[in-house]
């Protein structure tokens, strides 16, 4: 099967800086950006080096505004409701550390939460009365069941006399790489009068977010350096006007903070925008590359819908081909909603003792899963010059493969056979941990 497209290996070799021997199948973790965007960043950094004070004081605010104007339409929100932070984790921390918590307050999240965000909640719980309530999810699962568990959890917490302050969830999960019903979860939050915080780390440039403004979450953050092709690190942070008064400080607190008794500085910008315009001395050049990234996506790639269509399709077709080679299957649910993204989660032909029906095959103990994962990761790097996102979930070992414009079906077939070889070595006891 061949996908008819201008994308693929030529795109990789012409526009990206990967080593010729490296096969980039894990775009979702750290992203990648084209040479034209790197050239833009280099040019900006030269200007900064030539006149650092002049650039930071006079040029930087205007260039950040230009990037804000460029990115806002991709979210379908007003320009004054978006600012930039270094990454999604910073955005999540900014929200959680600005809110005030009282005895009985809880935050509801899912077991599939990104690890750093879960630890952020734990950290805040050390200093405040905030208590997490975790909803367990095992994939595959239907969207309706996710919504039901969420509503049931909020109702149960309230019956216990708790105040559900906030709910946190993803657009697309980190692992397994699956789309969440985030629009319906936001709707449920509104009906239940719960604040919603969306970790959209895998969001902008990955799924269509132009309706974000109409969906209306209370807080949203999305990494631009993952799927939008900006340099690392750059994330867009959206707070609707109705909630901007809740964000009193950036992280770290810097010049934009206003004392409660202080009159607003006449900057010509809203306090929210001013708060994040200059947050200490960091590398702001990734923020300034947003227009160049969007231009590349429109001029070279044909626009957001074209990119999205290819990335989704190569993930779908490529994932199925890998599963065919391995004799396994791709994770999805009956509604096929999990796979409406740029990821394919393929089960590896490794079996664990909790699968009682497979006694005739070699089985590993669940306790060995971590060692197996590390061996697969490291061996793929060492022997095949690629990196694989592998994890144990719901009693099985999975590989999460990323669809991207610089990949072809042949790349997926290649890794399928490599994975088959690695799993065969494990199953034949050729590996000693």
């Amino acid at each position: 099967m061949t996908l008819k497209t201008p994308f693929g290996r030529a795109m990789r070799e012409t526009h990206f800086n990967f080593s010729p021997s490296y096969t980039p199948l894990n775009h979702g973790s750290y992203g990648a950006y084209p040479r034209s965007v790197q050239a833009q960043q280099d040019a900006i950094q030269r200007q900064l080096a030539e006149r650092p004070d002049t650039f930071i004081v006079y040029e930087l605010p205007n260039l950040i505004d230009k990037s804000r104007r460029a990115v806002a339409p991709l979210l379908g929100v007003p320009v004054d409701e978006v600012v930039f932070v270094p990454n999604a984790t910073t955005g999540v921390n900014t929200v959680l550390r600005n809110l005030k918590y009282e005895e009985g307050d809880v935050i509801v999240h899912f077991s599939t939460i990104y690890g750093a965000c879960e630890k952020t909640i734990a950290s805040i719980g050390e200093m405040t009365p905030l208590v997490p309530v975790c909803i367990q999810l095992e994939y595959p699962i239907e969207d309706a069941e996710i919504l039901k568990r969420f509503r049931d959890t909020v109702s149960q917490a309230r019956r216990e006399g708790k105040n559900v302050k906030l709910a946190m969830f993803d657009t697309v999960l980190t692992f397994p790489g699956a789309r969440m019903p985030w629009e319906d979860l936001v709707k449920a939050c509104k009906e239940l009068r719960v604040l919603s915080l969306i970790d959209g780390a895998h969001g902008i440039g990955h799924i269509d977010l132009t309706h974000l403004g109409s969906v209306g979450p209370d807080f949203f953050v999305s990494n631009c350096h993952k799927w939008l092709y900006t340099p690392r690190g750059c994330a867009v942070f959206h707070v609707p006007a109705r909630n901007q008064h809740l964000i009193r400080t950036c992280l770290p607190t810097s010049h934009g903070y206003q004392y409660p008794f202080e009159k607003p500085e006449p900057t010509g910008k809203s306090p929210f925008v001013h708060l994040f315009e200059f947050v200490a001395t960091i590398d702001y050049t990734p923020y300034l590359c947003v227009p160049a990234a969007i231009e590349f996506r429109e001029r070279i790639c044909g626009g957001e819908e074209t990119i999205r269509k290819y990335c989704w399709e190569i993930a779908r077709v490529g994932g199925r081909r890998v599963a065919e080679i391995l004799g396994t299957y791709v994770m999805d649910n009956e509604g096929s909603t999990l796979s409406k993204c740029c990821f394919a989660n393929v089960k590896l032909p490794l079996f664990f003792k909790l699968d009682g029906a497979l006694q005739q095959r070699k089985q590993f103990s669940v306790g060995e899963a971590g060692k197996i994962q590390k061996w697969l990761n490291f061996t793929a790097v060492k022997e095949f010059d690629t990196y694989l996102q592998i994890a144990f979930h719901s009693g099985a070992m999975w590989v999460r493969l990323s669809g991207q414009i610089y990949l072809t079906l042949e790349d997926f077939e290649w890794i399928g056979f490599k994975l088959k070889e690695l799993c065969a070595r494990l199953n034949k006891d050729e590996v000693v941990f």
Side-chain angles (χ1 to χ4, degrees), residues 64 67-68 71 82-86 224 234-237 276 287 290:
I64 288 180
S67 291
R68 290 174 44 244
V71 80
V82 294
V83 294
F84 292 105
V85 292
C224 299
C234 174
V236 59
F237 180 39
F276 290 89
Y287 303 177
V290 168

Side-chain angles (χ1 to χ4, degrees), residues 110 112 135-147 149 173 176 178-181 331-338 393:
F110 295 93
T112 47
I135 303 171
Q136 291 296 321
L137 296 182
E138 284 199 0
Y139 279 75
I141 189 171
E142 300 300 321
D143 288 354
E145 178 62 21
I146 295 174
L147 267 292
R149 292 186 189 184
L173 298 175
R179 196 185 195 282
M180 287 202 81
M331 179 189 293
D332 209 348
N333 57 14
E334 291 183 6
S336 299
T337 58
L338 304 184
H393 179 79

Side-chain angles (χ1 to χ4, degrees), residues 150 154 158 164-167 189-190 192-196 218:
F150 176 72
V154 172
R158 286 176 171 165
V164 182
K165 179 87 172 183
L166 181 79
C189 284
K190 290 182 177 181
L192 296 167
R193 302 183 308 282
V194 174
L195 290 172
S196 56
D218 290 297

